[in-house]
Amino acid sequence: MYAIVNIAGKQTKVEANKFVYAHRLAGNVGDEVQLGKALLTDDNGTLTIGSPLLDVTVTGTILAHVKGDKVLVFKKKRRKGYKKLNGHRQQFTKVMINSIG
């Protein structure tokens, strides 16, 4: 069984007993979080689509707060001597999905 859930403004496919990376969520490591209502569920081929939401809640446990890969932003204007290099690492939360339903 899997579900499509809206987590922090992003639609994410989640399955029970697997983990996902979501944008930084409030809470400490080991806390139980409720990820909101599902937009779509699939239970062994039976597809249920909400309009717009279903009454299915997804719960998970926060495993860790981690950083994503570094993204380099380089700006340059030719013949002007202007160069700028910035880096950014996005904050993520690793969440283990406990149950769907």
Side-chain angles (χ1 to χ4, degrees):
M1 177 175 190
Y2 72 87
I4 305 294
V5 182
N6 191 355
I7 304 172
K10 302 279 184 181
Q11 293 180 5
T12 308
K13 179 181 175 181
V14 296
E15 295 182 45
N17 300 322
K18 293 192 177 181
F19 65 87
V20 295
Y21 289 99
H23 286 288
R24 183 74 183 238
L25 299 174
N28 297 323
V29 175
D31 286 352
E32 189 91 8
V33 291
Q34 213 170 34
L35 298 177
K37 298 194 180 211
L39 304 169
L40 176 141
T41 59
D42 182 13
D43 190 12
N44 297 325
T46 305
L47 194 67
T48 307
I49 300 173
S51 59
L53 299 173
L54 297 171
D55 289 330
V56 175
T57 57
V58 178
T59 59
T61 304
I62 295 177
L63 297 179
H65 295 292
V66 296
K67 289 184 178 181
D69 294 334
K70 188 165 195 169
V71 177
L72 295 177
V73 179
F74 183 72
K75 297 179 182 179
K76 180 182 178 183
K77 295 188 178 177
R78 63 184 189 155
R79 297 187 303 268
K80 304 297 181 199
Y82 174 78
K83 290 189 270 187
K84 181 70 77 172
L85 178 67
N86 286 322
H88 175 72
R89 290 184 72 183
Q90 184 68 41
Q91 302 283 329
F92 289 107
T93 300
K94 186 176 180 179
V95 179
M96 174 66 82
I97 305 300
N98 296 334
S99 66
I100 299 173

